[in-house]
Amino acid sequence: MEYPFVSVVAGIRNEEKFIEECIESLLLLDYPEESYEIIIVDGMSTDKTRDLVQKYPVRLILNEKKNVAAARNLGVEHSHGDFVAFTDGDCKVDPLWLKTLVNEMKNAPDDVACVGGPNLIFDTDPVFGRVVGHAQETFLGSGGSAQSNNSTRKHYVGSLPNCNAMYKKNIIKEAGYFDERFVVGQDGDLNYRINKIGYKFLYIPEAKVLHHRRGTLKSFSVRMFKYGMWMAELFKKHGEFVRWYAFLPSIAIVFAVFSLIVSPIYPAPILVLLALTTLYFILVFVTSIQVIYKMKSKYGLFALLVIPVQHVTYGLGFLYSFANSLFLSKDKSISDV
């Protein structure tokens, strides 16, 4: 096997808890050490992250803009390889990760821009994080997206999460790099643009990355709200839905509010709402059984809470983004007058 030179990029900020585990897994890759480089792009961490990174034979670049999109762009700009592989500071890569990605890219058709694999869960993570991770592996939790679904078969997908992906560098440049306006969802935006210019994404189940799940119900809710906001921003940027299911939680929230308002006069909508809500919670219950099976633990029942919280906060974030844009446009119109 020939070993092309690959630049491995991790954009990080305040990752003192996990960054050593991440870097050590990258240093132990089953890949010739002269054929890859490790670039750590730090978003001006305020903890001990940079001190820890400097202990290792890796390149450290400072990212004054702090966000992940800027980190990835800096990584691409400073990379020496024709291929750029991305992971995150709270990830641990499998020893065969890079070799698997390179081999699959070499054997893939020319129109494949990116190969990547699953976003797996640490069994040692806190219970809440594991519930979230396993819930998002289900159809109800992820809509079947490669970001969370973790399929066991190789196939083409619409997008790949950048905690586990390797790109042809020239195609990142052709697509216009990562959009640094996006605090989250920047990989989805880039991948959408890459698709639009005719390239494909290939999911490889053997290219494994473990990804720590952290947080509490509060932090999870905030994160889902932000995802909803930025999915709306993607819609406004491109004029169409990047993911087919993105608008469903928002429609459900609007319909629920409408039904409650008109119920004293028109009872039909509230009856429809009750029927749909019943069906929804049946699906949530079935999904929680799936999570119990995946976790082999009764704590999978927490999915009964996690999934509705995910959908509601995501939907509210989506609506907030559009409402915010509406108010801003009104303010602009008034100021123009």
Side-chain angles (χ1 to χ4, degrees):
M1 177 179 173
E2 295 181 10
Y3 295 98
F5 193 85
V6 182
S7 300
V8 180
V9 176
I12 62 170
R13 177 172 164 79
N14 293 338
E15 286 288 0
E16 66 178 9
K17 186 175 181 181
F18 299 118
I19 189 59
E20 289 187 283
E21 179 183 49
C22 173
I23 292 175
E24 287 171 7
S25 73
L26 293 173
L27 290 171
L28 291 173
L29 283 168
D30 182 10
Y31 201 82
E33 58 183 67
E34 71 276 7
S35 295
Y36 76 104
E37 63 179 343
I38 302 169
I39 302 173
I40 306 297
V41 187
D42 180 70
M44 312 309 291
S45 291
T46 56
D47 61 6
K48 297 178 182 178
T49 296
R50 257 181 285 168
D51 293 334
L52 295 172
V53 172
Q54 289 171 340
K55 292 166 48 181
Y56 295 95
V58 301
R59 295 173 62 195
L60 175 62
I61 299 170
L62 298 185
N63 168 27
E64 294 183 356
K65 294 182 180 178
K66 299 180 181 180
N67 74 50
V68 177
R72 289 174 179 153
N73 284 337
L74 282 169
V76 173
E77 290 167 7
H78 287 84
S79 63
H80 295 136
D82 291 330
F83 299 112
V84 180
F86 293 106
T87 191
D88 291 337
D90 56 356
C91 290
K92 179 182 179 180
V93 303
D94 183 83
L96 292 172
W97 173 66
L98 192 57
K99 183 180 286 186
T100 301
L101 292 178
V102 168
N103 188 53
E104 292 291 344
M105 184 72 89
K106 287 174 62 179
N107 293 318
D110 290 341
D111 62 354
V112 172
C114 177
V115 292
N119 180 14
L120 301 173
I121 301 161
F122 278 91
D123 290 336
T124 54
D125 276 350
V127 168
F128 182 82
R130 285 185 283 133
V131 172
V132 169
H134 286 298
Q136 292 183 336
E137 288 179 344
T138 66
F139 183 81
L140 200 61
S142 69
S145 71
Q147 274 77 358
S148 304
N149 194 34
N150 295 339
S151 172
T152 56
R153 65 182 180 87
K154 180 167 73 173
H155 61 289
Y156 289 107
V157 294
S159 183
L160 286 165
N162 279 184
C163 61
N164 183 356
M166 187 181 77
Y167 292 78
K168 294 174 180 174
K169 184 167 71 174
N170 64 306
I171 295 178
I172 295 178
K173 292 181 176 181
E174 182 182 347
Y177 289 88
F178 292 90
D179 188 336
E180 296 181 8
R181 292 175 297 168
F182 289 92
V183 177
V184 297
Q186 61 285 131
D187 48 356
D189 171 63
L190 174 67
N191 294 344
Y192 179 84
R193 287 182 276 123
I194 288 174
N195 270 316
K196 282 294 185 181
I197 56 178
Y199 295 105
K200 296 179 180 178
F201 294 79
L202 186 60
Y203 173 86
I204 312 298
E206 295 81 13
K208 298 175 182 177
V209 167
L210 288 163
H211 195 174
H212 285 288
R213 267 69 170 185
R214 294 169 288 176
T216 61
L217 181 62
K218 179 180 178 180
S219 62
F220 173 67
S221 301
V222 171
R223 187 164 72 251
M224 288 299 107
F225 186 88
K226 289 180 179 178
Y227 279 136
M229 284 178 57
W230 290 102
M231 185 55 68
E233 295 300 316
L234 282 175
F235 172 79
K236 287 184 281 188
K237 176 179 177 178
H238 298 293
E240 59 186 51
F241 287 108
V242 175
R243 295 177 188 149
W244 66 268
Y245 51 84
F247 62 97
L248 295 179
S250 301
I251 287 180
I253 291 170
V254 171
F255 180 71
V257 172
F258 169 78
S259 299
L260 292 170
I261 291 172
V262 303
S263 60
I265 304 172
Y266 302 106
I270 200 72
L271 295 175
V272 174
L273 176 64
L274 289 172
L276 291 175
T277 301
T278 301
L279 176 60
Y280 173 75
F281 278 102
I282 290 172
L283 293 174
V284 170
F285 179 76
V286 171
T287 299
S288 71
I289 299 300
Q290 290 179 276
V291 176
I292 290 171
Y293 177 78
K294 286 172 177 286
M295 292 183 66
K296 297 180 175 57
S297 168
K298 62 184 179 182
Y299 291 114
L301 279 173
F302 284 136
L304 291 170
L305 172 65
V306 165
I307 291 174
V309 166
Q310 174 182 327
H311 291 161
V312 170
T313 52
Y314 184 99
L316 289 173
F318 197 91
L319 291 171
Y320 174 83
S321 178
F322 276 100
N324 194 44
S325 296
L326 182 62
F327 287 129
L328 286 175
S329 63
K330 282 186 176 181
D331 289 343
K332 186 177 184 300
S333 299
I334 292 170
S335 64
D336 288 343
V337 174

